[in-house]
């Protein structure tokens, strides 16, 4: 895995053009069920079928919660009435795209994302979840143990997932 570009030193070298690109504002959703398992989906648009929790960009006129609820319905068909927002990450979390993806995603306008993460309690049943939506991003999904989630995500998002797991761990463990 490449080291994050924020941790590299480029003394006396012209920095690659992507250093000047901004981060896209986004929201990530850690959705838990009654068994305290985490919703995770396998992406449709990658060769290796990378796994991730739902996430999306925040439109200019949206709050973090509005973007999260919109994305949840678009990707999983889970509606606002089937969830409860439990917590929001204390700070923005950042990830950088690998260089080869910068031109392929978001029309090359961003170097990665800065995300606020929400912990969301799913109140419905598995039959309420439908990933075959008009905005389908996942080809399959499952409920996963909290500790396993960071282990199956794409490497460039692993650090952010470890941060989210650590921040929400005690809330999940103590949730009734």
């Amino acid at each position: 895995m490449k080291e994050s570009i924020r941790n590299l030193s480029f003394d006396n070298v012209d920095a690659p053009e992507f250093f000047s690109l901004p981060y896209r504002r986004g929201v990530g959703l850690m959705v838990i069920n009654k068994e305290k398992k985490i919703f995770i989906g396998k992406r449709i648009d990658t060769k290796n079928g990378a796994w991730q929790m739902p996430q999306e960009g925040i439109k200019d006129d949206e709050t973090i919660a509005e973007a999260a609820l919109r994305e949840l319905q678009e990707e999983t068909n889970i509606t606002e009435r089937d969830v409860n927002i439990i917590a929001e990450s204390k700070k923005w979390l950042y990830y950088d795209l690998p260089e080869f993806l910068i031109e392929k995603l978001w029309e090359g306008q961003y170097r990665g994302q800065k995300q606020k993460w929400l912990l969301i309690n799913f109140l419905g049943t598995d039959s309420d979840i439908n990933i075959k939506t008009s905005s389908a991003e996942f080809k399959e999904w499952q409920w996963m143990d909290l500790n396993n989630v960071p282990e199956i995500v794409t490497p460039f998002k692993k650090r952010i997932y470890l941060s989210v797991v650590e921040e929400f761990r005690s809330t999940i463990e103590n949730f009734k």
Side-chain angles (χ1 to χ4, degrees):
M1 177 172 75
K2 284 187 179 179
E3 188 176 0
S4 169
I5 58 178
R6 280 191 299 280
N7 297 329
L8 298 176
S9 173
F10 288 93
D11 297 333
N12 301 319
V13 177
D14 288 334
E17 191 174 304
F18 62 81
F19 280 112
S20 63
L21 294 173
Y23 287 97
R24 178 180 184 236
R25 282 182 352 119
V27 62
L29 301 104
M30 180 178 273
V31 179
I32 62 169
N33 67 7
K34 294 171 185 79
E35 289 80 37
K36 300 181 184 181
K37 303 272 186 176
I38 311 303
F39 177 95
I40 191 157
K42 194 173 199 180
R43 292 193 57 90
I44 259 174
D45 60 355
T46 60
K47 291 178 187 170
N48 65 353
W51 290 86
Q52 71 176 41
M53 291 182 276
Q55 61 181 56
E56 182 57 74
I58 301 170
K59 296 177 182 176
D60 288 338
D61 62 341
E62 286 182 311
T63 66
I64 292 166
E66 288 169 341
L69 295 171
R70 173 183 53 79
E71 180 62 8
L72 195 57
Q73 183 159 8
E74 286 176 4
E75 287 187 12
T76 66
N77 205 43
I78 296 172
T79 64
E80 186 174 347
R81 72 177 182 278
D82 293 325
V83 297
N84 221 2
I85 296 175
I86 302 168
E88 179 179 313
S89 60
K90 292 179 179 80
K91 60 184 181 177
W92 290 93
L93 301 172
Y94 292 77
Y95 74 82
D96 294 309
L97 292 170
E99 256 183 272
F100 74 93
L101 282 178
I102 289 178
E103 287 300 318
K104 295 178 182 177
L105 297 176
W106 311 308
E107 300 172 354
Q109 295 179 49
Y110 303 100
R111 66 188 274 180
Q113 284 201 64
K114 69 176 191 175
Q115 299 174 320
K116 275 291 195 158
W117 279 80
L118 298 179
L119 178 59
I120 296 176
N121 182 27
F122 176 56
L123 305 169
T125 65
D126 287 1
S127 63
D128 296 323
I129 299 172
N130 176 13
I131 59 170
K132 293 179 174 36
T133 66
S134 61
S135 304
E137 290 190 30
F138 300 130
K139 56 184 163 189
E140 63 183 272
W141 69 274
Q142 64 178 302
W143 294 108
M144 180 169 282
D145 288 329
L146 179 67
N147 292 328
N148 295 338
V149 172
E151 300 308 316
I152 68 164
V153 300
T154 190
F156 68 90
K157 292 183 183 176
K158 185 171 184 170
R159 185 180 51 81
I160 210 169
Y161 276 52
L162 288 167
S163 295
V164 171
V165 165
E166 189 59 33
E167 182 167 352
F168 292 150
R169 178 183 305 284
S170 66
T171 304
I172 293 169
E173 289 172 351
N174 296 314
F175 191 72
K176 296 186 191 274

